[in-house]
Amino acid sequence: QKVLIALYANATPFEYRNLEDPTANAELTTLSPLKRFPVLVDSGRTSLESSTIIEHLQLHHPGPVRMLPEGDAGIEARMLDRIFDNDVMTPMQKIVLDTLRPEAGRDAHGVAQARGLLGSIYAWLDQHLENRTWATGDAFTLADCAAAPSLFYADWAHEIPHNHANLRAYRARVLAHPPVAR
């Protein structure tokens, strides 16, 4: 989702390969050692991992939306990208995956820790997003590409508290943004 958002934001032409296609699935096995996606193949060069792919796109196929701004704004965009991926998405996945396990194999302690992490990062993000349209300020960046899927799912797994009005408003705004809604 993160890469698709960046592609849509800049109207970058691409060929989407569905893993239900046996040929695409077999190709993924040869391109990605752990068979993880997304994978980008561009002019014979393979890029793995969504943040790296978005950086590749900016360098080789720049569009009107600069996903990684220059200077300090770029550092902040990268930092927030990692926060959304590691501190929102990872604990959310812990909660979701635990519900898919057989009852005997569930990890109540790990889920409680994940909920605590989400509670802490929600509070930090709520303060960070005060008076901001997008994660880094006025410009849509890599950080927002990461935030959209992270917050979309995290709110389902561990609801964003109602007293975190900045974060709740940001989530609504980012999910309604045309490249994300698409």
Side-chain angles (χ1 to χ4, degrees):
Q1 292 174 338
K2 188 165 133 179
V3 172
L4 286 174
I5 292 165
L7 288 164
Y8 294 153
N10 280 313
T12 307
F14 66 98
E15 176 190 349
Y16 182 83
R17 304 285 305 278
N18 189 321
L19 293 180
E20 292 177 11
D21 171 2
T23 306
N25 205 339
E27 188 177 357
L28 175 64
T29 302
T30 64
L31 295 172
S32 176
L34 299 176
K35 201 176 176 181
R36 291 190 181 153
F37 55 90
V39 174
L40 174 73
V41 179
D42 183 24
S43 301
R45 181 183 190 153
T46 301
S47 295
L48 306 175
E49 199 280 320
S50 58
S51 299
T52 305
I53 291 170
I54 292 170
E55 193 156 355
H56 172 95
L57 291 170
Q58 180 167 302
L59 182 63
H60 296 285
H61 304 279
V65 179
R66 187 162 178 80
M67 294 295 162
L68 287 159
E70 302 274 339
D72 288 341
I75 293 170
E76 185 177 21
R78 283 182 180 89
M79 176 191 75
L80 288 164
D81 169 65
R82 304 311 332 132
I83 286 172
F84 284 114
D85 280 358
N86 295 324
D87 301 331
V88 177
M89 188 67 89
T90 298
M92 177 279 301
Q93 289 174 328
K94 172 76 173 169
I95 295 166
V96 171
L97 292 175
D98 192 71
T99 65
L100 300 175
R101 289 188 181 125
E103 188 74 36
R106 292 202 176 150
D107 179 11
H109 179 73
V111 168
Q113 284 182 319
R115 290 185 185 285
L117 290 170
L118 283 172
S120 295
I121 200 62
Y122 285 171
W124 184 86
L125 285 167
D126 188 62
Q127 289 179 349
H128 176 80
L129 292 165
E130 186 175 5
N131 300 318
R132 292 176 180 232
T133 301
W134 301 115
T136 62
D138 294 332
F140 188 89
T141 68
L142 167 69
D144 303 294
C145 293
S150 297
L151 294 174
F152 177 77
Y153 294 112
D155 187 52
W156 287 358
H158 184 78
E159 185 177 12
I160 297 168
H162 290 277
N163 66 333
H164 292 333
N166 296 322
L167 180 56
R168 291 177 70 83
Y170 170 73
R171 179 182 183 270
R173 195 166 43 254
V174 77
L175 293 179
H177 191 54
V180 176
R182 181 174 175 190

